[in-house]
Amino acid sequence: SLSFKSQKELFYDQFGNDQNQDWYIEEVRANKKQIMSYVSSSDGNLIFSSKINLKNNFDSSDEYFLYPKNLNGTEKQLIRRNYAFNKLVDQQHLLDSLIDPSACMQEMDYNYNIDNSLDSLDKSKQGIFKQLLKVHPNYIVQGPPGVGKTYLISTLVKQIFDDEKDSKVILSAQSHSTVQVLYDEIKKKLDINELIVIDAFNNEENSEDDTTYNKLTSKYLDKFAKSNMCKKALKDYNPEVKKELNKILKEKKSYQFYNTILKSANLIFTTTNSKTLEDLIRNNITFDLSIMEESAKASGVELISPMLVSHKKIMIGDYLQLPAFGESVINNILKNKDKFDYKLITKELLNIGFSKDILTKLGLNIYPKAELNLDDDQKAIDQIISDLERYFSIFRYLSKESQ
């Protein structure tokens, strides 16, 4: 009913633009796969090249999956999000703070001198800065681009580490470029050389695991090799320990050492759906503060992971930059209005606790009661959406009300 192309058409469309795309062929039962490169098509047949002889390694009578190599990154994201969802179920305090923020809000004294930080801020930000330090567990900083939100956050991070050197703060955003801006701004204010810092961004999604792991272990193993602890171990410990230690120092690889870095980190810069965040969640490593930049550009699902790893959360953004969730689907619905049961759509919204008052306050067009032919005891579903183009303003309304 949405005039979608058939699965066959969608499949063949993928070979129209990217002539050098790599694909995986994976045996369904044996979980064996091999990478292939698309070459060309001829008379409806697709031609691939492979480094091995597929006839010798795969039985043509078996069943196989054929999928793009870049789907691996999508699969990893889905696995991470699924795991985060499962962990969220057990985090009742976090759920409560999201469902009713005002009921969970607490103010705690911050017993350090903040005069220098306040002097560096204009009056409009001084009050916000004080609240950022005092309000728990969640705080939202809202404002359009260019008003100094990033500068405010960098000042906050500097204050925290000036007061307590062993603090643990994680900064995240949906995009690599936004995390880079945070990283650069904080480096201007804070001497990070004395801290354990993980800059887990600017990596390709499919290579992120190895890139971040190798970069971190190599950096800190070099430092460890120069330490008195390492020198003492190489001198005094038994031969087996010395052999293993020398192997680690030579190869610059050790997952145990990597996990130790994660647990000891003071500052982590990463994206909201990264492998680093997944490792923190799976190892139950928590931080004092999680700061999420440009939160309005991320989906709720993407914000779950950085929320799970900290006691206190600060979200920064501008609700006018909210992404158009499901935009293509909504556009298809609008083009095929006569094929959709709006009464059913609204009924389902109300069944999950969606407030019909929001629809009324937004001024959405609704079907007349007479047209719906509802009984008096069915008034709960008498608000029917007839113009889904206004759908996106629901999020903006909620953001305005939350202020």
Side-chain angles (χ1 to χ4, degrees):
S1 63
L2 293 180
S3 302
F4 285 142
K5 293 182 179 181
S6 68
Q7 292 296 319
K8 182 178 179 180
E9 289 175 307
L10 290 171
F11 176 75
Y12 277 94
D13 282 349
Q14 296 181 76
F15 300 94
N17 300 321
D18 189 358
Q19 297 297 314
N20 299 307
Q21 191 175 22
D22 289 333
W23 287 68
Y24 276 118
I25 180 171
E26 181 175 345
E27 192 172 342
V28 174
R29 287 178 292 183
N31 197 26
K32 179 175 67 175
K33 64 182 179 182
Q34 173 62 34
I35 194 168
M36 308 185 302
S37 295
Y38 171 69
V39 178
S40 64
S41 61
S42 176
D43 299 326
N45 296 314
L46 301 173
I47 301 173
F48 295 87
S49 66
S50 174
K51 292 181 179 180
I52 67 168
N53 189 323
L54 296 179
K55 288 185 178 180
N56 294 338
N57 289 272
F58 292 89
D59 188 341
S60 60
S61 63
D62 287 335
E63 293 182 332
Y64 297 92
F65 294 119
L66 182 65
Y67 56 91
K69 181 183 177 183
N70 58 20
L71 192 63
N72 261 1
T74 304
E75 182 184 20
K76 290 178 182 178
Q77 288 184 0
L78 292 173
I79 291 171
R80 288 171 193 164
R81 291 179 181 182
N82 180 63
Y83 187 80
F85 265 126
N86 289 331
K87 294 293 288 187
L88 180 62
V89 173
D90 299 326
Q91 301 292 323
Q92 191 59 49
H93 291 297
L94 175 55
L95 287 170
D96 290 342
S97 72
L98 296 175
I99 294 168
D100 193 349
S102 59
C104 298
M105 187 178 71
Q106 297 179 358
E107 285 199 15
M108 302 180 184
D109 292 335
Y110 191 81
N111 299 315
Y112 292 97
N113 189 302
I114 62 173
D115 291 343
N116 288 338
S117 294
L118 293 177
D119 290 342
S120 68
L121 301 169
D122 58 52
K123 288 186 178 180
S124 65
K125 297 182 182 66
Q126 289 177 357
I128 297 174
F129 185 82
K130 293 177 183 177
Q131 288 186 310
L132 285 171
L133 292 168
K134 291 182 178 181
V135 175
H136 296 256
N138 304 329
Y139 195 87
I140 298 174
V141 179
Q142 187 275 326
V147 298
K149 299 190 298 293
T150 302
Y151 182 85
L152 176 67
I153 291 304
S154 64
T155 305
L156 174 70
V157 173
K158 183 179 186 304
Q159 177 75 52
I160 290 171
F161 281 100
D162 283 348
D163 295 334
E164 296 184 5
K165 299 294 184 184
D166 58 347
S167 296
K168 297 172 71 66
V169 178
I170 183 166
L171 297 102
S172 62
Q174 183 192 47
S175 69
H176 298 290
S177 58
T178 303
V179 183
Q180 180 73 63
V181 171
L182 281 170
Y183 180 77
D184 293 340
E185 191 66 34
I186 288 173
K187 274 187 70 176
K188 294 177 186 176
K189 286 179 171 264
L190 186 66
D191 182 8
I192 64 173
N193 293 322
E194 298 301 317
L195 303 173
I196 297 178
V197 179
I198 298 176
D199 51 335
F201 59 97
N202 284 339
N203 301 322
E204 292 294 330
E205 185 67 35
N206 290 341
S207 65
E208 177 193 0
D209 301 13
D210 291 337
T211 304
T212 303
Y213 165 74
N214 291 335
K215 181 171 64 176
L216 282 175
T217 51
S218 177
K219 174 184 176 181
Y220 286 104
L221 276 172
D222 285 343
K223 289 188 175 183
F224 174 69
K226 300 174 184 177
S227 69
N228 291 329
M229 179 188 295
C230 181
K231 293 175 183 177
K232 178 176 174 57
L234 291 173
K235 178 183 178 181
D236 300 335
Y237 283 25
N238 64 58
E240 290 186 4
V241 173
K242 292 179 182 179
K243 180 180 178 181
E244 183 65 24
L245 185 54
N246 278 315
K247 179 183 177 183
I248 291 173
L249 293 174
K250 181 180 179 180
E251 297 179 354
K252 298 186 185 300
K253 290 183 178 181
S254 169
Y255 279 103
Q256 286 182 323
F257 191 74
Y258 171 70
N259 286 330
T260 301
I261 297 171
L262 283 181
K263 293 176 182 177
S264 307
N266 300 111
L267 266 172
I268 292 183
F269 298 86
T270 188
T271 50
T272 52
N273 197 44
S274 67
K275 175 68 165 57
T276 302
L277 273 171
E278 180 187 15
D279 289 338
L280 294 175
I281 295 170
R282 289 185 181 275
N283 289 285
N284 295 313
I285 302 171
T286 57
F287 279 65
D288 304 317
L289 173 63
S290 177
I291 300 173
M292 292 151 276
E293 174 66 289
E294 293 193 346
S295 299
K297 291 186 177 181
S299 67
V301 175
E302 290 172 316
L303 295 174
I304 291 175
S305 292
M307 286 184 173
L308 285 171
V309 297
S310 68
H311 304 293
K312 178 176 177 176
K313 283 78 64 178
I314 295 176
M315 287 177 280
I316 314 157
D318 177 12
Y319 67 84
L320 293 176
Q321 294 180 322
L322 284 167
F325 294 104
E327 183 177 13
S328 60
V329 175
I330 296 298
N331 287 335
N332 276 319
I333 290 175
L334 291 170
K335 292 175 184 176
N336 300 274
K337 290 184 178 182
D338 58 326
K339 297 180 181 178
F340 286 87
D341 186 343
Y342 293 96
K343 176 180 174 182
L344 179 62
I345 292 173
T346 308
K347 181 178 180 180
E348 291 304 314
L349 285 173
L350 297 175
N351 282 342
I352 63 170
F354 192 88
S355 173
K356 64 179 181 180
D357 293 336
I358 291 177
L359 307 182
T360 305
K361 289 180 180 181
L362 285 171
L364 294 175
N365 298 322
I366 58 172
Y367 286 102
K369 291 182 180 180
E371 184 178 339
L372 294 177
N373 192 27
L374 297 174
D375 297 329
D376 290 340
D377 60 349
Q378 292 181 293
K379 291 181 180 180
I381 58 170
D382 63 0
Q383 302 290 335
I384 305 300
I385 302 173
S386 63
D387 184 4
L388 286 179
E389 287 176 314
R390 300 291 299 280
Y391 166 83
F392 300 114
S393 61
I394 290 173
F395 297 103
R396 292 182 180 176
Y397 169 79
L398 290 173
S399 298
K400 290 176 181 177
E401 286 293 296
S402 70
Q403 294 178 21

